[in-house]
Amino acid sequence: MMPQLRIWIDSIGRIKRRKFFLKLIVTTVLITVLPSLMSNIFAYYRVSDIVEEETGNNKLQYLNQTINTLEILLNRIKENSNLLALNRSFISFENFPNGAYYESLQGAIPKEDLPALYAYLEAKKNTFLTMNSFKLSDQFVDSVYFYDSSKNLVITSDNDRSNRQFRREDFYDQGWYEAVQNMQMNPVFLDTRVAKQYPQGEKELLSVIYKSKKASNAIIVNLDASMIYADIISKLNANDDMYVVSSSGNIVFRSQASGKDDFPRIGLSEALQHAGGAGSYSIELDGGKKLVSYSSSKLLDWTFVNVSDMGVYTQGTIDIKQTITYTAGALILFSLLLSYFSSRSLYKPISRLNALAKGREDDIRPDRGKGNDHQDFRHRKRSVHVPDHTLKGANDELSVIGSFVSSTIDERNYYKERLEESLPFQLERFKQSLLQRHAMSLEEIEAKKDYLGLDISLHDLSVFLLSIDEELASNGEDMLAQDLCKIKIMDALRDSKVLGQETAFFVVNVEKDKVALVFHFPGKGRQPLFHLAQQLLDEVNARLGAQCSLGVGSICKGIGELPLAYEEAAEALKYRILYGKGYVISMDDIRADNGQTFIYPSQLEEKLNNYIRTACLEEALSTFGAFVAEIEACKNKLHYNQIQPIFIQLLTSIRHSFSSFGTDIEILFGDGTDPYRELLDLESLDHIVLWFQSLITRGIECIRQEIHARGNQHIAKIIEILENEYDKDISLSWVAERLNLNPAYISRLFKQSTGQPFIDYLKQVRVDNSKRLLAEGRLKINEIGRQVGFGSAHYFIKVFKEITGLTPGEYKKIYS
């Protein structure tokens, strides 16, 4: 052990004295380890940041989907509430003269009050029916209240399909009244609240308050908060904590996994400070890392918060960190050993040169046991001619340098001989590359052509591709026989009398059963080219005593077009299945055949788009079936690559029809999906047909929804005009021109939405307003008729009696 230890100590001492050796080891270790270690550390932190960022983006996407769904629901409730407030029944009930008086009647009722009382009760009944219809319009509506402040009355449509009325102070649910008194905007969305039910019990509700035409009256729509959470909010992620917080800081919804006590601990104050925005941030909570994602709804003024455990998503990065640590340790140890041995080898020539400079010849002699190497070294010294005066100054050093120069010259001559031997192989590779798609410039091709001695023009070239038919391939397994056949074909082409001695050409072995011929063919046209191809094929078949097929490529103006011509010839050979073997086949013949058998059905395309724009689903699918039938009638003569462009053109046309309604086709497939790429990836005509049928069905459904939404907006505007401008000379054409719509469209849409024709609704509005003026008793009947929009007193009296059963004079006597 002692001698071995002494050897190690002496080695370390020698290393310390060799400062360059130490620097070489350290530098090698740093060059080996440092870049890898730094890149691994950077990759670890980058992966961690990307995992957190992408997780936050996914959570935000789920939050925004939840917000959009909830906003669509509440917007639909808002629109329906608007139509409810504009409903004729509500307006009649609200504006009924002396409504509070009839509500207060008890006991025996005076005979003169009976007609008006019957009319008032009829208006109340219609109001109840309208509220019941509204409640059934949406599954999330739990109950509907109508608060009439002038009558101090609350009427209800409850979830048990019953209707009741209460005095406001006796009503069992008082949680909405304060909001009605203080509301500054219309509508108002309350926080979720626990509301009393009739006759007993409690339920968690989300209330939407909408002011009616009278500012002090209101419609209260109560939505089932539990159903909203179960069907919309909880679909986000059942494994995460979920909160919905109002602008006042109250928790509107929370998941079952989360608790009220956990809410302040998630640092939500940062999210609430950015109301109206969205984002994600991480916090340390309960010994683990949590990701808090938040997004706000401008419509509801609520903030949606999702809290997820980052430990589930970062487990992979922890494993990466451990791997980096272990790898770095092993790499450092391995690099130290490798650097020591490699540096010692690199340092050896330097040590010898240093010894040579000091005249220590013993240090540069070969080790014992290597006498043959020493003799070879001395032999190399003698083989190099060096001046005598140089040898005197540095004897062995010049021997080493002379030996190195001599060996370098020998090596150069050796590789020069190898290069000359490899020129035929390089020439064959170059000819093959000319037929493949490449990035070589014309100058590079010219230079390489001259270097390899290829005699071919760079312009007016043509390509023939000869294929060995299956009978000639010797059962497809005897590769030697197949190669011999290809050699015979290539020899036949080189010795061909058809091409002549003046034609420049070259032959290429391109595939296992194909040989290409590229030749100069200036300005002779396609017909002479086909004639030449047939002559050449007959000559080759006669010489081989067998059968080949020949594909013809197009004439190339420049050598850069050779790959396209070669691909065209290869594509033509694929049609041997249709045209048979042993023939000359050109893509021109195939195109001509296909052009005569199929014409794009433009009329069916136009008819299909008309049905799409009018949202006629059955007719659209039937027309699309006729379109497909046109293609199926000649699909046996159509290449699949020709069928795809037909459907690409149809998709572009359909996309324009959807765009006219503001429907983006990407929305029908999901964000980030390219419909054209998805269509091109389909593998058969049947898959394409199913894909288009699904697209047409979903697109027409979106168009129908858009048509319905636009119709509701138009009706609301028309009713607003009639209610505010009834005293003007209003007609259907006048309203249509004002809204830039078709009169027939307005008439049809108005009757579908309100249940009565446009002119009857206008008469009713005018009569209702005349009742108010008659009850005041200050104006004459003919003045009242003109003030509410009737052209003559006679017409006013006629219309008034048709609607109320009384003349204006009789009505005035009763109510004034």
Side-chain angles (χ1 to χ4, degrees):
M1 288 298 295
M2 292 301 293
Q4 186 69 25
L5 180 61
R6 186 179 299 277
I7 292 173
W8 274 100
I9 294 173
D10 292 339
S11 299
I12 295 173
R14 287 195 298 270
I15 291 174
K16 288 182 177 180
R17 289 192 297 270
R18 299 172 181 177
K19 296 182 178 180
F20 181 81
F21 188 37
L22 283 174
K23 292 179 180 178
L24 194 59
I25 292 176
V26 172
T27 303
T28 306
V29 171
L30 291 177
I31 292 174
T32 306
V33 176
L34 193 60
S36 177
L37 184 61
M38 294 299 295
S39 63
N40 286 338
I41 293 174
F42 174 80
Y44 167 73
Y45 284 104
R46 181 59 181 161
V47 168
S48 299
D49 293 340
I50 291 175
V51 168
E52 183 172 333
E53 180 181 352
E54 290 301 319
T55 304
N57 291 337
N58 290 335
K59 298 301 180 182
L60 282 177
Q61 184 178 0
Y62 289 134
L63 284 177
N64 290 330
Q65 289 176 355
T66 303
I67 292 173
N68 290 337
T69 304
L70 197 55
E71 286 183 348
I72 289 172
L73 168 64
L74 295 178
N75 271 324
R76 188 171 65 215
I77 297 297
K78 175 184 174 182
E79 291 179 5
N80 292 340
S81 300
N82 187 19
L83 292 176
L84 183 63
L86 294 174
N87 189 275
R88 184 74 261 144
S89 300
F90 271 91
I91 294 174
S92 297
F93 182 67
E94 282 185 312
N95 297 329
F96 201 92
N98 299 324
Y101 165 75
Y102 295 114
E103 286 291 340
S104 64
L105 287 177
Q106 295 181 356
I109 300 174
K111 184 176 182 181
E112 59 273 15
D113 288 340
L114 288 177
L117 179 61
Y118 291 151
Y120 174 77
L121 294 176
E122 182 68 20
K124 183 189 290 188
K125 182 190 76 173
N126 292 334
T127 300
F128 275 122
L129 293 176
T130 303
M131 291 174 60
N132 290 338
S133 299
F134 171 82
K135 180 185 173 301
L136 295 175
S137 66
D138 198 294
Q139 62 176 341
F140 295 103
V141 177
D142 180 79
S143 57
V144 183
Y145 308 152
F146 174 54
Y147 169 56
D148 193 330
S149 61
S150 62
K151 303 179 183 67
N152 194 29
L153 180 68
V154 178
I155 62 177
T156 70
S157 176
D158 289 327
N159 54 12
D160 58 356
R161 299 184 180 180
S162 61
N163 299 104
R164 302 178 181 87
Q165 72 175 42
F166 302 87
R167 293 175 59 191
R168 202 278 306 163
E169 56 272 15
D170 298 333
F171 189 46
Y172 53 86
D173 182 11
Q174 297 288 336
W176 50 268
Y177 181 68
E178 183 178 355
V180 171
Q181 299 299 313
N182 300 326
M183 65 188 295
Q184 300 295 325
M185 58 178 60
N186 195 20
V188 171
F189 299 94
L190 299 184
D191 297 347
T192 53
R193 61 191 184 89
V194 178
K196 293 184 178 180
Q197 301 289 292
Y198 185 90
Q200 60 184 358
E202 293 180 341
K203 194 169 190 179
E204 191 171 22
L205 300 176
L206 172 62
S207 297
V208 183
I209 302 176
Y210 190 89
K211 286 252 180 170
S212 67
K213 297 295 287 185
K214 285 188 176 181
S216 56
N217 294 355
I219 299 171
I220 299 90
V221 180
N222 297 312
L223 306 179
D224 191 334
S226 300
M227 185 181 296
I228 291 175
Y229 177 80
D231 290 357
I232 298 177
I233 299 177
S234 66
K235 296 296 178 67
L236 176 65
N237 193 335
N239 298 323
D240 296 342
D241 294 342
M242 182 70 186
Y243 300 92
V244 180
V245 188
S246 66
S247 58
S248 60
N250 295 325
I251 300 178
V252 180
F253 295 99
R254 72 167 62 87
S255 62
Q256 298 297 330
S258 61
K260 186 173 182 181
D261 295 335
D262 293 333
F263 179 72
R265 298 196 298 152
I266 65 174
L268 194 61
S269 58
E270 181 178 345
L272 296 179
Q273 289 174 1
H274 300 86
S280 298
Y281 58 90
S282 57
I283 60 172
E284 293 293 332
L285 183 65
D286 295 335
K289 191 174 183 180
K290 304 291 184 180
L291 180 67
V292 181
S293 303
Y294 62 92
S295 184
S296 300
S297 169
K298 294 182 179 179
L299 173 66
L300 305 173
D301 202 16
W302 292 349
T303 301
F304 292 70
V305 183
N306 181 78
V307 182
S308 54
D309 185 5
M310 280 301 295
V312 177
Y313 306 100
T314 58
Q315 184 61 42
T317 59
I318 295 174
D319 296 338
I320 292 175
K321 183 177 180 181
Q322 294 177 349
T323 302
I324 291 174
T325 303
Y326 296 148
T327 303
L331 183 61
I332 291 173
L333 180 59
F334 176 77
S335 298
L336 283 171
L337 296 175
L338 180 63
S339 299
Y340 174 78
F341 290 108
S342 61
S343 297
R344 189 172 64 174
S345 299
L346 292 173
Y347 185 75
K348 191 172 183 179
I350 298 174
S351 176
R352 289 185 176 182
L353 289 175
N354 184 43
L356 179 62
K358 294 179 180 179
R360 295 165 60 187
E361 295 183 358
D362 293 338
D363 292 341
I364 62 172
R365 291 175 180 172
D367 297 336
R368 293 179 180 179
K370 296 184 180 180
N372 293 334
D373 292 339
H374 180 56
Q375 293 175 2
D376 182 68
F377 182 80
R378 292 172 59 189
H379 171 72
R380 288 181 180 273
K381 174 185 173 183
R382 289 194 301 269
S383 65
V384 180
H385 176 71
V386 182
D388 293 337
H389 69 276
T390 306
L391 286 173
K392 291 179 181 179
N395 200 353
D396 291 339
E397 180 182 15
L398 292 179
S399 299
V400 173
I401 296 174
S403 299
F404 173 75
V405 172
S406 177
S407 63
T408 302
I409 294 174
D410 292 342
E411 185 178 6
R412 177 179 176 275
N413 293 333
Y414 169 76
Y415 283 111
K416 185 177 179 180
E417 293 174 1
R418 291 289 302 273
L419 177 62
E420 291 175 355
E421 293 173 0
S422 68
L423 283 179
F425 174 76
Q426 293 188 41
L427 177 61
E428 193 69 16
R429 288 281 301 272
F430 175 64
K431 291 190 292 185
Q432 291 178 356
S433 67
L434 291 177
L435 296 178
Q436 307 298 325
R437 295 181 183 268
H438 56 79
M440 292 186 293
S441 65
L442 194 61
E443 291 77 14
E444 291 175 341
I445 294 175
E446 179 72 31
K448 201 161 187 177
K449 179 176 74 73
D450 294 340
Y451 170 73
L452 295 174
L454 179 63
D455 182 20
I456 192 68
S457 173
L458 298 182
H459 305 282
D460 298 323
L461 300 173
S462 291
V463 180
F464 289 164
L465 186 62
L466 283 90
S467 174
I468 305 172
D469 289 338
E470 294 179 359
E471 294 80 2
L472 194 63
S474 185
N475 299 325
E477 295 181 358
D478 189 352
M479 300 302 297
L480 178 61
Q482 184 169 315
D483 290 340
L484 289 175
C485 286
K486 291 171 66 177
I487 292 174
K488 290 180 181 179
I489 292 174
M490 296 173 71
D491 289 339
L493 293 174
R494 293 190 183 99
D495 301 334
S496 173
K497 298 178 181 179
V498 175
L499 294 174
Q501 297 181 355
E502 299 179 358
T503 304
F505 67 91
F506 64 82
V507 182
V508 188
N509 182 6
V510 288
E511 296 180 30
K512 65 178 182 179
D513 60 344
K514 293 182 179 64
V515 175
L517 172 67
V518 180
F519 58 95
H520 184 53
F521 194 76
K524 297 181 180 180
R526 296 288 287 175
Q527 194 61 35
L529 184 67
F530 297 151
H531 182 66
L532 176 64
Q534 188 61 56
Q535 288 182 313
L536 188 64
L537 181 62
D538 294 340
E539 184 180 37
V540 171
N541 287 339
R543 182 165 176 174
L544 266 67
Q547 191 178 63
C548 294
S549 297
L550 189 148
V552 181
S554 59
I555 299 176
C556 308
K557 294 182 179 179
I559 198 169
E561 299 177 7
L562 272 180
L564 296 177
Y566 170 74
E567 292 173 3
E568 186 175 305
E571 184 69 15
L573 281 178
K574 294 179 182 179
Y575 283 83
R576 284 181 295 173
I577 299 174
L578 297 176
Y579 288 85
K581 300 175 181 178
Y583 291 96
V584 175
I585 306 174
S586 169
M587 289 302 295
D588 287 353
D589 299 331
I590 298 168
R591 294 190 187 103
D593 185 26
N594 291 336
Q596 294 175 359
T597 57
F598 180 76
I599 299 176
Y600 185 82
S602 301
Q603 294 180 348
L604 289 176
E605 176 194 291
E606 182 178 357
K607 187 177 180 181
L608 171 61
N609 284 304
N610 288 335
Y611 285 134
I612 289 175
R613 285 189 287 268
T614 54
C616 299
L617 178 58
E618 294 182 1
E619 293 81 353
L621 293 176
S622 175
T623 305
F624 175 70
F627 185 94
V628 174
E630 291 282 336
I631 298 175
E632 288 181 335
C634 54
K635 71 177 182 180
N636 293 330
K637 294 185 178 182
L638 282 172
H639 194 278
Y640 183 72
N641 292 336
Q642 294 173 285
I643 295 178
Q644 284 183 324
I646 296 173
F647 286 102
I648 289 291
Q649 180 176 345
L650 179 63
L651 175 59
T652 302
S653 175
I654 292 176
R655 184 174 189 173
H656 287 232
S657 297
F658 289 154
S659 299
S660 63
F661 278 88
T663 301
D664 193 347
I665 195 171
E666 281 78 4
I667 297 177
L668 302 177
F669 291 89
D671 294 340
T673 302
D674 184 357
Y676 289 99
R677 173 51 54 192
E678 187 169 318
L679 175 59
L680 291 174
D681 291 340
L682 298 177
E683 298 177 351
S684 68
L685 182 60
D686 292 337
H687 291 165
I688 293 176
V689 171
L690 294 175
W691 188 86
F692 265 97
Q693 288 174 344
S694 175
L695 170 64
I696 293 171
T697 302
R698 286 180 288 169
I700 289 180
E701 182 62 30
C702 290
I703 291 175
R704 286 177 176 176
Q705 294 176 3
E706 180 66 21
I707 291 174
H708 178 70
R710 291 181 183 179
N712 288 341
Q713 295 174 1
H714 295 327
I715 292 303
K717 290 179 181 179
I718 293 170
I719 291 176
E720 183 178 357
I721 291 173
L722 297 182
E723 294 289 345
N724 296 328
E725 303 180 35
Y726 59 86
D727 56 335
K728 296 181 180 179
D729 185 13
I730 297 176
S731 66
L732 184 63
S733 300
W734 180 81
V735 173
E737 183 178 357
R738 182 168 175 177
L739 297 179
N740 195 24
L741 296 172
N742 183 277
Y745 170 74
I746 288 180
S747 178
R748 182 177 69 257
L749 185 63
F750 193 90
K751 188 169 183 179
Q752 289 176 354
S753 300
T754 64
Q756 59 185 135
F758 173 86
I759 190 64
D760 291 349
Y761 192 94
L762 177 59
K763 289 177 182 180
Q764 184 67 52
V765 171
R766 287 173 170 172
V767 168
D768 289 343
N769 283 277
S770 68
K771 288 179 181 180
R772 175 177 52 79
L773 297 175
L774 289 169
E776 292 175 356
R778 293 183 291 102
L779 300 175
K780 295 180 180 181
I781 292 176
N782 57 349
E783 293 177 346
I784 293 174
R786 287 194 302 272
Q787 191 166 336
V788 297
F790 288 103
S792 66
H794 175 74
Y795 185 59
F796 169 54
I797 295 171
K798 178 183 176 183
V799 172
F800 191 93
K801 188 171 182 179
E802 287 177 356
I803 294 177
T804 65
L806 302 172
T807 65
E810 293 171 345
Y811 188 90
K812 186 175 183 181
K813 289 179 181 180
I814 295 173
Y815 296 105
S816 64

